[in-house]
Amino acid sequence: MAVSSALCIFSLLALVQAQSESQQPKIQLRLAGDKRKHYEGRLEVSYNNEWGTICDDDFSIEAAHVACRELGFLGAVAWSPSAKFGQGEGRIWLDNVHCTGREKSLAECPSNGFGVSDCRHSEDVGVICNQKRIPGHRFINTMNNNVETLEERVEEIRIRPISSHLKRIPVTEGYVEIKERGKWRQICDEAWTPLNNRVVCGMYGFPGDKNYNNKVYKSLSMRKKKNYWRFSVNCTGNEAHLSSCRLGKPLEPKRNGTCGRGLPVVVSCVPGRAFAPSSSTGFRKAYRPEQPLVRLRGGSNIGEGRVEVLKNGVWGTVCDDNWNLRAATVVCRELGFGSAKEALTGAKLGQGMGPVHMNEVECSGFEKSLTDCYFNNDALGCSHEEDAAVRCNIPAMGFQKRIRLSGGRNPYEGRVEVLTEKNSSLVWGTVCSENWGIVEAMVVCRQLGLGFASHAFQETWYWAGDASADNVVMSGVRCSGTEMSLPQCLHHGKHISCPKGGGRFAAGVSCSDTAPDLVLNAQLVEQTTYLEDRPMYALQCALEENCLSSTAKKNDHSSYRRLLRFSSQIHNVGQSDFRPKLGYHAWTWHECHRHYHSIEVFTHYDLLSLNGTKVAEGHKASFCLEDTQCDEGIQKRYVCANFGEQGITVGCWDTYRHDIDCQWIDITDIKPGDYIFQVVLNPYYDVAESDYTNNVMKCKCRYDGYRIWMYHCHTGGSRSSDMDEYPGMSNQLHFR
C-alpha cells in the first residue's frame, strides 16, 4: 500500500523489525473484538499478510506486557483467556507462547511456531493494556510489510485556545494541534472537513461544532511561524477519537511554511447545557424544559449511566444485544455530552426496573435521538441483567484541581480540602463538618472522579491532613446531590460559620467505585394491601416500638386499632451490597421481637391527603436487614438470626410480610376518603445509594370506612413528569 493511501494516526498496527532480518519473522499486532475499550481486546497477529489469533495456552502476564508495549502502551494490566472479547477468524498463528517480559516483540518469544496449534477460536487470548501510551512510540504503516514505509511518532492531540480565550472554561475553541516527536504541530485545513470537526469536538466532550470568526485566526496565523504536520485527516464523523480517523495524502509544505492556500485548522465546539458558561449579567428567559426521551441512571460520574428511554409515559431500559459505540455516541450527544468512551453491556452500571423498551439497536451515528435509530420492539428473552449503559466524554472543567483528599490510607479516602481565594492568593483549607452528610460526600467523590461516596465523616482526627490547610474555608454546605462540584452546592460564602472549627472536626469522605440501589416492589404493595382490626393486648411490642399512632397510648387492652397492612419487598439492584451504617457494637436488641436492629429508621410509611398533608404514619422503628430471596445463581449472604451479619446482597431482596409487627399504618382515627399512600426507603440517607430518586413509592388509596383500595402504585422516577398522578408532589426525599 502506497504512502499516499489511508492509514490510522494512532494505528495499533506495530511492525516488529527483526534483530536479524533473515531469522526473525515480521509480524503485526492489533486489538479486535466488539464491546471493548480502545486499549483492550482480542489479540490478533498478522503473519505473511494474513491475520489470525493467539491461543491462550501458557499465555502469561509477561506475554501481555510484551504485546501491549509492541502496540504502543506502557504495559499490560491483565490478560483474558477463553475468547472474552469474542472469537476471531482465520488461522491461530501462535500457541504455547512463553515470554520473559523483556522481549521487544512476541515474535521473539518461544512458541510452537507459526501456524502450529491444536486450539480452537474459543481459546483466543485477549489483553487489557495500560491506558497510557509510550511517548514518541513509533507507529509504522506495514500493511504490505514494506519496512521502508512512513514512520509516525504521534503522541497527543489538543485544542489550543488563543490568548483572548485562555480563561474560558471549558476550552471550546482553538487550534487543533498534534504532538509529534515532542513538538506540537498544526494541521493544514486544505482537506479538513466538518466531519473532522465533529470528531474533535466529540472527543473533548462537546455534542457539536459551530462557526467561528475566521478573520481573527487568519490575522494571527499571518503573524506567527507555522509548524505544520505533514498529513491531512479523513474522518467519517463516527470515530470516538481523531486517532481512529484515516490519514489522507501527505502534504507538501511550501518554502514559506504555508500549506498552499490553507491555514491552521481551528475548531469551535458547542458545549452541552450543563457545561455552558453562565452569563454574568442579565437573566435567562424563563422556559419549560421539554420532557427528555432518554436519560442516564446509576452512574457515579456525570456523563455515565444505565440508558433508559421513555415510552408511553413509562421509563424502561435498553437491551444490550448489538449495543455498540455508535448507539452509545448517539445517546451521549443527545444528552449534551461528547462522543462515547465506552458502550457498556451486562448491566455494568446496575439493573433497571420496569419494561425493556428497546432491543437490537442499530444507529448510523448521526441520529438526533436514540429513538430515531432502528430497533426491535420485541425484547423477549432480554432481562435487566442485559441493560445497556454508556460512558461519555465530558469537557475538562478543571474541577479536580480545586479539591483533594488528605491524610487517608488510600486515594479514595481522607479529609476534604478545597482550594479557595483569600487575600488575592489561592490557599487550601478544610470544610466545616456541621450537617455534613452522605449527599455532600457524593458530590466530593464525583468531583474527584472517584465514584460514589461510601461514608461521610464529621470527625477526621485519625487522618493527619496538611497542617497548613486546617483552617475552615467553606461552611454551611448543603447539596442536592446533582452538583458537579462542591462550590455549586449552597454554602455560606465569605462569612464562615463553624462552631467546632476545622482540623480534627473537618469534613471527610471515603469513596467507592460501586454503590447499592434499593427499589421497592410497587406491584406487591398493591396486591397485598388489606385492613385488620387488632386488639390492643396483641399490640404491646408494636406500642413499645412506636408503630402505632399517639392516641393508642390512651386505649385500654380491650380496645381495637384499625391497621392498613401490606407487604414490602425491597430489591437491591445496584452494584454492591447494602450494609448498615452502624457496626455490631451499635445495634439495638429488641426483646419483644427477639432480634437486633441495625438501622434506627429505615422506612417511612405515610398516608397523605391529596394536597400532601400527612394524616397518618407508621414506620419501622428500626430494621433487621437480611436476604429473603435472591435471583437465580446468587447466594444469600445476610441473615438476622443468631446475631448474624445484616444487609441485602446485590440481586437479592428483603421481604417484610404483611403479617409481621409494624408492617402497617395505624388508620384508626382516619375518616373515609381518598388519600395518597407513600413509602420512603432510607429516608435519612443513612447509607449511600447510586440512585435516591427511586426510593419513594406512591399509590392512590380510597377508604370507605370498611374497605380500602390501593391502585396506581409506582416508584419515583418510573413515569414521565407529564403523567404525574400526584401534581405538586415531588418524588425527592424531604427529610434532610
Side-chain angles (χ1 to χ4, degrees):
M1 185 178 293
V3 174
S4 61
S5 62
L7 69 150
C8 290
I9 301 174
F10 278 170
S11 173
L12 292 180
L13 306 177
L15 173 65
V16 179
Q17 298 187 27
Q19 293 175 349
S20 170
E21 291 285 340
S22 60
Q23 295 179 3
Q24 186 175 308
K26 300 185 183 75
I27 67 169
Q28 300 169 234
L29 298 180
R30 71 181 180 190
L31 299 178
D34 296 328
K35 300 176 182 177
R36 65 181 181 87
K37 303 166 190 173
H38 70 279
Y39 52 85
E40 66 181 15
R42 182 176 60 251
L43 188 57
E44 295 191 347
V45 58
S46 176
Y47 176 70
N48 286 341
N49 290 327
E50 181 182 345
W51 285 102
T53 62
I54 299 173
C55 183
D56 60 17
D57 290 351
D58 293 342
F59 202 83
S60 64
I61 190 64
E62 287 77 18
H65 281 307
V66 173
C68 288
R69 286 197 297 268
E70 194 169 354
L71 289 165
F73 299 98
L74 289 178
V77 174
W79 65 278
S80 303
S82 305
K84 176 187 174 181
F85 296 100
Q87 297 186 24
E89 298 176 348
R91 301 179 65 173
I92 298 176
W93 277 124
L94 291 172
D95 189 8
N96 298 111
V97 178
H98 295 270
C99 300
T100 66
R102 295 187 292 272
E103 295 85 356
K104 294 182 179 179
S105 166
L106 280 184
E108 296 180 22
C109 301
S111 68
N112 292 351
F114 283 91
V116 182
S117 173
D118 59 356
C119 298
R120 298 182 178 182
H121 281 298
S122 59
E123 301 171 83
D124 286 344
V125 77
V127 294
I128 303 168
C129 300
N130 187 314
Q131 296 185 47
K132 294 183 179 179
R133 303 193 68 85
I134 300 172
H137 179 81
R138 180 174 296 178
F139 296 95
I140 306 177
N141 173 30
T142 58
M143 294 300 289
N144 61 356
N145 276 350
N146 181 357
V147 181
E148 297 178 355
T149 54
L150 171 72
E151 298 181 4
E152 283 305 301
R153 291 175 180 263
V154 178
E155 298 163 32
E156 295 178 56
I157 299 170
R158 72 179 181 184
I159 298 177
R160 180 173 64 84
I162 57 177
S163 57
S164 60
H165 295 171
L166 282 175
K167 293 184 179 181
R168 292 187 184 178
I169 296 177
V171 175
T172 59
E173 183 177 301
Y175 294 107
V176 180
E177 297 186 338
I178 285 181
K179 196 173 188 180
E180 181 189 22
R181 304 183 187 186
K183 293 183 179 180
W184 288 103
R185 304 180 190 277
Q186 293 85 41
I187 302 175
C188 179
D189 69 358
E190 255 192 346
W192 191 261
T193 69
L195 294 177
N196 297 352
N197 286 341
R198 173 183 168 89
V199 172
V200 172
C201 289
M203 62 185 273
Y204 279 100
F206 306 112
D209 67 293
K210 61 181 177 66
N211 294 327
Y212 58 91
N213 187 350
N214 189 46
K215 293 181 181 179
V216 174
Y217 291 95
K218 189 173 183 179
S219 174
L220 284 172
S221 66
M222 294 178 67
R223 285 182 278 164
K224 293 189 177 182
K225 182 180 178 182
K226 269 78 66 183
N227 183 16
Y228 284 108
W229 194 50
R230 294 172 289 165
F231 299 92
S232 59
V233 184
N234 182 19
C235 301
T236 67
N238 275 325
E239 292 85 356
H241 197 279
L242 198 68
S243 63
S244 302
C245 299
R246 301 176 73 84
L247 295 185
K249 62 181 181 180
L251 300 174
E252 296 181 7
K254 306 299 180 183
R255 290 181 180 178
N256 58 3
T258 63
C259 59
R261 298 178 181 177
L263 294 169
V265 166
V266 175
V267 297
S268 183
C269 305
V270 180
R273 186 174 186 85
F275 305 98
S278 58
S279 177
S280 57
T281 58
F283 297 92
R284 288 183 177 175
K285 186 178 179 181
Y287 74 100
R288 184 177 185 271
E290 294 182 8
Q291 172 70 56
L293 297 177
V294 179
R295 70 183 185 185
L296 301 181
R297 283 291 184 271
S300 60
N301 298 307
I302 191 167
E304 69 176 42
R306 177 180 61 254
V307 180
E308 297 187 352
V309 294
L310 188 65
K311 181 180 179 182
N312 297 328
V314 178
W315 287 100
T317 61
V318 178
C319 188
D320 64 10
D321 292 352
N322 299 340
W323 188 248
N324 58 25
L325 274 176
R326 283 195 179 187
T329 291
V330 171
V331 171
C332 291
R333 291 186 188 273
E334 177 180 2
L335 295 175
F337 307 115
S339 51
K341 290 190 291 187
E342 296 178 55
L344 301 168
T345 59
K348 284 191 173 66
L349 295 183
Q351 296 184 26
M353 297 287 283
V356 179
H357 283 327
M358 300 176 76
N359 185 25
E360 298 174 350
V361 179
E362 291 183 16
C363 302
S364 69
F366 291 91
E367 291 86 354
K368 290 186 177 180
S369 171
L370 186 70
T371 56
D372 295 333
C373 299
Y374 166 82
F375 63 93
N376 189 347
N377 278 305
D378 183 9
L380 189 66
C382 281
S383 69
H384 286 298
E385 294 176 357
E386 301 170 86
D387 284 344
V390 299
R391 284 197 176 102
C392 307
N393 286 312
I394 63 171
M397 302 295 291
F399 292 143
Q400 294 183 15
K401 298 176 182 178
R402 304 187 70 88
I403 193 168
R404 68 188 183 189
L405 300 183
S406 181
R409 296 162 297 181
N410 56 62
Y412 282 77
E413 67 177 20
R415 185 176 76 176
V416 179
E417 296 177 359
V418 295
L419 190 63
T420 187
E421 188 172 338
K422 191 173 183 180
N423 298 328
S424 300
S425 61
L426 292 173
V427 296
W428 287 98
T430 57
V431 178
C432 184
S433 64
E434 190 174 22
N435 297 319
W436 182 259
I438 199 70
V439 178
E440 288 73 30
M442 281 282 193
V443 175
V444 169
C445 293
R446 180 184 300 122
Q447 184 176 351
L448 288 165
L450 297 177
F452 302 99
S454 56
H455 292 91
F457 302 96
Q458 294 188 351
E459 289 188 11
T460 51
W461 54 267
Y462 33 79
W463 287 327
D466 188 339
S468 64
D470 279 350
N471 292 333
V472 175
V473 296
M474 183 180 287
S475 64
V477 180
R478 300 285 286 183
C479 303
S480 69
T482 60
E483 296 87 353
M484 289 187 285
S485 68
L486 205 60
Q488 291 179 353
C489 301
L490 292 173
H491 60 280
H492 286 155
K494 294 181 180 180
H495 302 288
I496 305 300
S497 174
C498 189
K500 290 185 178 180
R504 59 176 291 179
F505 293 107
V509 303
S510 63
C511 305
S512 172
D513 291 328
T514 59
D517 184 18
L518 300 185
V519 182
L520 186 70
N521 185 333
Q523 186 178 10
L524 186 67
V525 172
E526 195 169 313
Q527 293 170 348
T528 57
T529 303
Y530 65 99
L531 293 179
E532 180 192 12
D533 289 336
R534 194 169 179 85
M536 276 299 299
Y537 65 77
L539 293 171
Q540 291 310 300
C541 276
L543 189 62
E544 286 182 24
E545 293 194 9
N546 297 318
C547 296
L548 300 174
S549 65
S550 58
T551 58
K553 296 178 181 178
K554 302 174 183 178
N555 288 25
D556 57 45
H557 280 218
S558 61
S559 62
Y560 283 77
R561 304 299 296 181
R562 177 157 288 182
L563 307 175
L564 166 59
R565 309 199 70 147
F566 56 94
S567 294
S568 291
Q569 190 180 90
I570 301 161
H571 292 246
N572 182 2
V573 297
Q575 299 170 267
S576 61
D577 294 354
F578 187 96
R579 298 294 307 278
K581 178 182 179 180
L582 302 174
Y584 284 108
H585 66 283
W587 293 1
T588 305
W589 172 256
H590 282 258
E591 186 64 32
C592 273
H593 295 135
R594 305 293 299 171
H595 58 230
Y596 282 94
H597 289 170
S598 57
I599 294 181
E600 195 54 38
V601 177
F602 181 63
T603 53
H604 277 168
Y605 306 144
D606 298 316
L607 199 65
L608 312 171
S609 66
L610 295 182
N611 66 8
T613 304
K614 186 186 296 185
V615 296
E617 68 176 2
H619 65 273
K620 300 295 286 186
S622 50
F623 247 56
C624 163
L625 296 168
E626 63 182 357
D627 295 326
T628 307
Q629 285 180 280
C630 299
D631 290 328
E632 187 177 352
I634 297 177
Q635 297 292 322
K636 298 180 183 178
R637 296 183 57 188
Y638 303 105
V639 60
C640 291
N642 301 319
F643 201 26
E645 278 197 276
Q646 293 191 21
I648 307 176
T649 306
V650 175
C652 299
W653 53 93
D654 187 4
T655 302
Y656 280 75
R657 287 172 50 87
H658 55 81
D659 54 0
I660 65 174
D661 265 7
C662 296
Q663 191 59 36
W664 62 58
I665 294 180
D666 182 354
I667 64 167
T668 306
D669 307 315
I670 300 303
K671 296 178 181 179
D674 289 321
Y675 297 95
I676 293 169
F677 173 64
Q678 175 178 275
V679 178
V680 183
L681 304 176
N682 195 13
Y684 299 117
Y685 302 88
D686 285 321
V687 179
E689 295 186 51
S690 60
D691 186 359
Y692 287 110
T693 62
N694 55 18
N695 282 28
V696 182
M697 188 220 67
K698 289 188 175 79
C699 304
K700 286 194 172 182
C701 177
R702 173 163 290 181
Y703 174 49
D704 68 358
Y706 305 97
R707 296 165 296 176
I708 198 156
W709 293 267
M710 199 81 74
Y711 58 102
H712 291 177
C713 296
H714 64 261
T715 55
S718 64
R719 304 288 181 92
S720 160
S721 60
D722 296 332
M723 289 186 65
D724 189 2
E725 296 167 355
Y726 312 100
M729 296 181 62
S730 169
N731 273 328
Q732 299 296 320
L733 308 191
H734 292 294
F735 299 101
R736 298 190 64 244

